[in-house]
Amino acid sequence: MSRPFLPFFSPEDGQSGSARTGKDGGALHTPGTGGKRNQVMMPEQLSGPAENRSPAVFPLLAVDGGGTKTDAVITDKTGKILAKGKGGASNYQAAGEESAAETLARVLGQAASALEDRLGLGRKDYRIRRGVFALAGIDTAKDQTLVEGLVRRAVQTSGIQIEELLVENDALSTLIGATKQSPGVLLIAGTGSIAFAHDGKGNFYRSGGWGHRFGDEGSGYWIGKEAVRAVLRMHDGREKPTVLSDLVLKHLRFDNHEQLYNWAYGPRYSVDEVSALSVIVEQACTLGDPVSRRILEKAASELFLLVEAVTEKAGIGEKSFKLLLLGGVLQNNERIRHELVQKVREKRRDAEILIPRQKPIELIIQRGLYDGEETG
């Protein structure tokens, strides 16, 4: 899979210049680790009398955008976070194009304002060398083009000057940040689900991530949707009695199944709210509900299929590789994680299964610094 770079983009004139590509390899500093790496490495342009300063250049703006929240950070060359912005969904498939663009512009503006307040800068006193936008919802070439347009609009609205834009699927960014040049698989199960693999030779492969309408099996949304289906099927008499019925209705503050149905096909229905029902399914499972247990076991099986499919695509099934598990479902739902790990260990004995302690944004920072070593 290609990694698209957009050329130089300045919000002041909207003109494009020559594109730069990053270098592969090089040492990478993990954000927030000890020693000198905890020191903030400020651009040299910020030293000396103000009248003699040239515009400051910060190495990285990193954005992690998904179906529920969006984080933006500006870092120094070691990956130390200097400023942050936070907002809601920026996956245009879930939030819509206009809302996604507005969210991106808002979090960029927040990060920029925080940096300016901290260092006493104006918006035109600095620029960003690279902006890495790791966004959910980039699943096809059409998505890529559309999202690049949304990012450009958001950057222009924010007023931030960015020399180089890199826009790619959030899972791909995270995998590159975590594995560098080593073979690896990243499985994300949060609101949605997707798997990426790297063969260690610069080639990337993907399985899943086809969105909530026709895909995202094993994700929070998929689990929540299965819960609603089970409740309605129980109401029909086609499903065994399940405590999910009372728990789901109570969680959504409905009195009966008709209200649940009306909500599902009404304007208040949202991917977010359905995804939140995955927690209710886990609660029901701990109460011994067999219907909920079946849903969670099926979710684990679907996630295992993603891992198997992408591992075979990458041709690393017989090699040692790292399998990284990310996303709220995998990190918080113990039953699904346990079931999945068992399946992987039975089939892929050489896989090193990891649940990274870093947040996704930290891995995306590593991705940006790794692929742009010259930014230091």
Side-chain angles (χ1 to χ4, degrees):
M1 177 175 291
S2 62
R3 289 177 275 168
F5 286 85
L6 282 78
F8 177 90
F9 179 67
S10 170
E12 294 182 358
D13 54 22
Q15 299 299 310
S16 295
S18 60
R20 298 187 301 106
T21 57
K23 297 178 181 178
D24 288 332
L28 177 70
H29 299 320
T30 302
T33 53
K36 293 183 179 180
R37 296 174 185 177
N38 275 334
Q39 299 176 6
V40 175
M41 305 297 290
M42 293 299 182
E44 293 180 0
Q45 296 96 324
L46 291 181
S47 62
E51 62 271 16
N52 296 330
R53 295 177 189 170
S54 58
V57 180
F58 293 91
L60 183 66
L61 166 72
V63 179
D64 175 26
T68 56
K69 65 183 181 68
T70 301
D71 294 313
V73 299
I74 298 172
T75 81
D76 68 11
K77 65 182 181 181
T78 72
K80 182 74 175 181
I81 294 175
L82 306 178
K84 300 179 181 180
K86 184 179 289 289
S90 57
N91 179 345
Y92 87 94
Q93 295 179 4
E97 295 179 30
E98 291 302 318
S99 179
E102 290 172 2
T103 295
L104 288 171
R106 190 179 308 116
V107 297
L108 293 181
Q110 288 176 2
S113 294
L115 181 74
E116 293 153 13
D117 291 345
R118 179 177 183 177
L119 301 179
L121 297 172
R123 193 66 45 104
K124 296 184 179 181
D125 295 335
Y126 65 96
R127 65 182 187 272
I128 305 293
R129 187 159 291 169
R130 164 177 285 180
V132 177
F133 288 75
L135 304 176
I138 303 178
D139 303 316
T140 66
K142 179 182 177 181
D143 292 333
Q144 183 71 47
T145 300
L146 189 151
V147 174
E148 285 175 2
L150 296 182
V151 168
R152 285 184 179 277
R153 284 169 51 194
V155 171
Q156 187 164 17
T157 300
S158 73
I160 302 174
Q161 300 182 71
I162 303 177
E163 293 181 3
E164 177 188 61
L165 293 179
L166 171 57
V167 181
E168 62 191 6
N169 184 284
D170 56 339
L172 177 57
S173 281
T174 304
L175 176 62
I176 297 171
T179 64
K180 317 303 182 296
Q181 296 182 13
S182 302
V185 174
L186 172 66
L187 175 66
I188 296 181
T191 303
S193 64
I194 194 170
F196 268 98
H198 180 211
D199 65 1
K201 302 175 183 178
N203 301 307
F204 298 89
Y205 305 86
R206 175 192 132 179
S207 289
W210 297 116
H212 66 282
R213 290 185 179 179
F214 302 110
D216 284 346
E217 294 87 351
S219 69
Y221 177 83
W222 183 90
I223 294 169
K225 183 177 66 175
E226 291 298 302
V228 173
R229 288 183 67 241
V231 171
L232 295 177
R233 286 171 63 87
M234 188 198 91
H235 179 68
D236 283 344
R238 295 182 291 143
E239 180 61 88
K240 295 178 181 179
T242 169
V243 298
L244 276 176
S245 181
D246 290 339
L247 292 179
V248 167
L249 292 177
K250 181 179 179 181
H251 175 81
L252 294 172
R253 298 180 181 178
F254 295 150
D255 296 325
N256 53 55
H257 301 84
E258 285 191 6
Q259 290 180 353
L260 176 63
Y261 170 80
N262 291 334
W263 165 77
Y265 289 95
R268 291 178 49 232
Y269 178 88
S270 73
V271 171
D272 255 359
E273 287 193 347
V274 176
S275 183
L277 294 177
S278 62
V279 177
I280 304 302
V281 178
E282 185 178 13
Q283 291 174 359
C285 185
T286 61
L287 296 174
D289 180 55
V291 174
S292 298
R293 183 176 66 249
R294 187 174 70 241
I295 292 173
L296 297 183
E297 289 174 350
K298 177 64 173 174
S301 295
E302 291 288 351
L303 295 174
F304 176 68
L305 285 176
L306 284 178
V307 172
E308 279 295 282
V310 80
T311 300
E312 290 297 322
K313 281 184 178 181
I316 60 175
E318 304 305 319
K319 302 177 182 179
S320 175
F321 66 90
K322 293 181 179 180
L323 170 61
L324 292 89
L325 306 180
L326 283 179
V329 170
L330 290 170
Q331 293 177 316
N332 301 322
N333 191 305
E334 186 175 350
R335 177 174 288 273
I336 290 179
R337 186 174 64 249
H338 177 73
E339 293 277 346
L340 174 65
V341 168
Q342 276 194 324
K343 292 177 183 294
V344 172
R345 285 178 175 162
E346 289 173 3
K347 187 73 179 289
R348 306 293 180 188
R349 296 182 181 274
D350 290 332
E352 180 184 0
I353 302 173
L354 302 172
I355 301 178
R357 287 181 296 175
Q358 301 105 312
K359 296 178 181 178
I361 190 65
E362 293 173 328
L363 294 173
I364 293 165
I365 290 171
Q366 293 186 33
R367 187 270 183 275
L369 295 178
Y370 164 74
D371 208 25
E373 185 192 4
E374 79 277 13
T375 59

